[in-house]
Amino acid sequence: MRVLELDHPLVAHKLTALRKAETRSSMFRLLADELVTLLAYEATRNVAVAPVEIETPVTTMTGTRLTDPKPMVVPILRAGLGMLDGMTRLLPTAEVGFLGMVRNDETLEVTTYANRLPDDLTDRQCFVLDPMLATGHTLIASVNYLHERGAKDITCVTLLCAPEGLKTLEEQIDPAIDLTVVTAAIDEKLNEKGYIVPGLGDAGDRLFGVVD
């Protein structure tokens, strides 16, 4: 498993604004969208490409195109929806599937309640969108779900990670899966309720206005 924590002043600036308790949902959504686009640039660094012959106004040349099958972008409902536009801005030809997963706050177990994905993901590059990698259980379930359908190259894009969640992810994911985690920051720890510290609160609530 590879972990890439972006070290960039614009990422740090936008993430700081996201963390502020007084940042309202409208601004939170805008900042999250911009931040995900920056993350997507690094997350797609190894997207599958192939050479293609084209004609410029001056001459012929060999360029680059995305290969088939198209990449699959998978936001985890509901908070992952707030990351979708930022990701597809760089991958407009990608297909989009959805996974609905919910974590029991007491047992921390994850159950799947919605699935809008192809049954066969063989040879597909998948980009999983979930703002927070806290305990890691949701992303573990998501990655396993995709792997069972044939995906082997999976990139998880997150705004924040907890070190405990990264450790759990690495310990429990099949080493045969080519897994990358791209994040804006790895925070200090989880608190007793399973929230990331210092974190930014509940990303879903802040994205969709529940706390306003």
Side-chain angles (χ1 to χ4, degrees), residues 72-78 80-81 84 95-101 112-118 129 145-146:
M72 174 70 66
V73 176
V74 185
I76 306 301
L77 303 178
R78 67 182 165 129
L81 288 175
L84 181 57
E95 294 182 1
V96 179
F98 299 91
L99 273 178
M101 293 189 163
T112 301
Y113 66 86
N115 164 28
R116 293 294 183 271
L117 288 168
L129 310 181
Y145 203 92
L146 298 172

Side-chain angles (χ1 to χ4, degrees), residues 126-194:
C126 294
F127 296 89
V128 180
L129 310 181
D130 198 4
M132 316 292 278
L133 197 171
T135 63
H137 292 89
T138 299
L139 279 180
I140 289 168
S142 304
V143 169
N144 286 337
Y145 203 92
L146 298 172
H147 181 56
E148 289 166 4
R149 283 152 182 77
K152 291 188 173 66
D153 185 342
I154 301 172
T155 299
C156 299
V157 182
T158 74
L159 301 180
L160 292 179
C161 290
E164 296 93 331
L166 287 170
K167 182 174 184 291
T168 301
L169 189 65
E170 186 165 27
E171 289 174 347
Q172 296 191 20
I173 287 297
D174 186 339
I177 302 174
D178 186 3
L179 179 64
T180 302
V181 177
V182 179
T183 187
I186 300 172
D187 271 8
E188 179 185 344
K189 63 179 181 179
L190 292 178
N191 65 15
E192 65 280 359
K193 294 183 179 180

